[in-house]
């Protein structure tokens, strides 16, 4: 009979001698080889440094306040302290939001009537959908956004809490307390284009927002980020992180 080809027997190409990749249909493993069972990893059985964690250990933290109050700093601090975590910021959607305004021939002003009517709800819906999509795969998801309606309208917050509970997660609303002086200083320091309309009529902008914590928000934690209280902010953040992991 014909002598066996040593390259073919070794699983290599006869022309170039390189190893061939073997493909077979699912459930049709080559004779003599076990059919490997390929499974999608379960999102509900994450492993941490302390071992397997249960669904009840997951947390969704919503950090809210008007623009310029220090939400991003607070949210990033918590995400760093509560790893493994995911950090999300409404500002990440700003390029898309700007395109919505440009397509409609409107100025990019998220506080303007056009965006409040046509852009605000889809923007928040997208942000929260991303947050909930990440929740099964992370110990903590931290989201930074003004959350004006979500915190001041109890039914909205209750809906988010129920949605989190369906995924075995606790919802933690956090409000960053600030004031006019601190807000203005933060905006001038960061020099973001999205603040141009606010700074152009700062008095008018101040009259349109509310720094006071939403008392109707169940389970709300208030963190004071006013300039006079910043020396105590780190201690307050540490206490909150300890309570969440408690």
């Amino acid at each position: 009979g014909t002598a066996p080809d040593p390259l073919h027997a070794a699983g290599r190409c006869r022309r170039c001698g390189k190893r061939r990749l073997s493909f077979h249909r699912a459930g049709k493993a080559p004779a003599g080889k076990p059919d490997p069972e390929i499974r999608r990893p379960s999102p509900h059985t994450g492993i941490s440094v302390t071992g397997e964690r249960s669904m009840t250990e997951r947390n969704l933290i919503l950090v809210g306040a008007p623009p310029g109050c220090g939400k991003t700093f607070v949210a990033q601090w918590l995400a760093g302290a509560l790893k493994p975590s995911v950090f999300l910021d409404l500002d990440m959607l700003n390029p898309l939001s700007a395109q919505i305004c440009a397509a409609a021939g409107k100025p990019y002003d998220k506080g303007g009537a056009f965006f409040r009517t046509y852009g605000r709800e889809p923007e928040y819906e997208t942000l929260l959908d991303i947050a909930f999509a990440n929740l099964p795969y992370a110990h903590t998801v931290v989201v930074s956004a003004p959350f004006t309606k979500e915190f001041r309208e109890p039914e909205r917050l209750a809906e988010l809490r129920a949605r989190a509970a369906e995924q075995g997660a606790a919802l933690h609303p956090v409000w960053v307390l600030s004031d006019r002086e601190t807000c203005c200083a933060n905006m001038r320091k960061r020099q973001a284009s999205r603040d141009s309309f606010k700074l152009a009529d700062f008095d008018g902008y101040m009259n349109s927002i509310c720094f006071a914590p939403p008392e109707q928000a169940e389970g709300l934690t208030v963190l004071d980020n006013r300039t006079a209280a910043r020396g105590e902010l780190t201690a307050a953040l540490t206490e909150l992180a300890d309570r969440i992991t408690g």
Side-chain angles (χ1 to χ4, degrees):
T2 305
D5 188 324
L7 288 176
H8 178 75
R12 296 181 180 275
C13 176
R14 291 189 179 92
R15 290 187 300 173
C16 65
K18 294 182 178 180
R19 185 173 297 278
R20 297 175 305 178
L21 295 179
S22 176
F23 299 93
H24 61 275
R25 296 174 60 184
K28 300 294 183 179
K33 295 185 179 181
D35 192 13
E37 184 178 5
I38 302 176
R39 295 180 178 176
R40 181 183 297 274
S42 171
H44 305 306
T45 56
I47 303 297
S48 69
V49 293
T50 57
E52 186 172 349
R53 63 174 195 266
S54 65
M55 292 176 64
T56 56
E57 293 183 78
R58 291 199 300 276
N59 300 283
L60 175 60
I61 304 174
L62 306 182
V63 181
C69 291
K71 298 184 301 296
T72 299
F73 171 80
V74 167
Q76 289 179 338
W77 192 100
L78 290 170
L82 300 172
K83 294 179 181 178
S85 63
V86 172
F87 165 73
L88 299 171
D89 195 315
L90 186 67
D91 289 345
M92 294 173 177
L93 298 179
N94 282 345
L96 178 60
S97 302
Q99 286 300 313
I100 292 174
C101 293
K106 301 292 183 180
Y108 179 42
D109 179 9
K110 294 176 74 170
F114 170 80
F115 195 84
R116 291 200 310 269
T117 302
Y118 299 102
R120 197 272 182 195
E121 295 301 324
E123 189 180 52
Y124 271 80
E125 181 179 350
T126 300
L127 178 68
L128 290 168
D129 281 350
I130 294 172
F132 281 106
N134 277 278
L135 191 56
Y137 303 97
H139 178 279
T140 301
V141 176
V142 187
V143 188
S144 172
F147 288 123
T148 305
K149 294 183 178 181
E150 288 71 19
F151 283 9
R152 298 194 184 278
E153 298 178 14
E155 64 278 6
R156 290 198 183 219
L157 191 59
E159 181 180 343
L160 292 173
R161 195 183 303 277
R163 188 176 174 186
E166 289 177 356
Q167 294 187 233
L171 179 70
H172 305 274
V174 177
W175 186 260
V176 182
L177 184 62
S178 189
D179 54 23
R180 177 190 178 99
E181 291 72 24
T182 305
C183 180
C184 183
N186 289 343
M187 286 188 178
R188 293 189 184 282
K189 181 179 180 180
R190 69 188 184 189
Q191 292 291 308
S193 59
R194 63 184 181 276
D195 295 331
S196 58
F197 285 94
K198 306 179 186 77
L199 292 172
D201 181 18
F202 194 69
D203 289 336
Y205 171 66
M206 286 291 102
N207 292 332
S208 70
I209 65 175
C210 180
F211 290 114
E215 297 179 357
Q216 60 271 53
E218 180 183 352
L220 183 71
T221 297
V222 179
L223 298 175
D224 195 342
N225 193 40
R226 292 173 291 186
T227 302
R230 281 186 176 171
E232 304 172 6
L233 181 59
T234 300
L237 283 165
T238 302
E239 180 182 351
L240 174 59
D242 290 343
R243 177 154 39 93
I244 290 174
T245 57

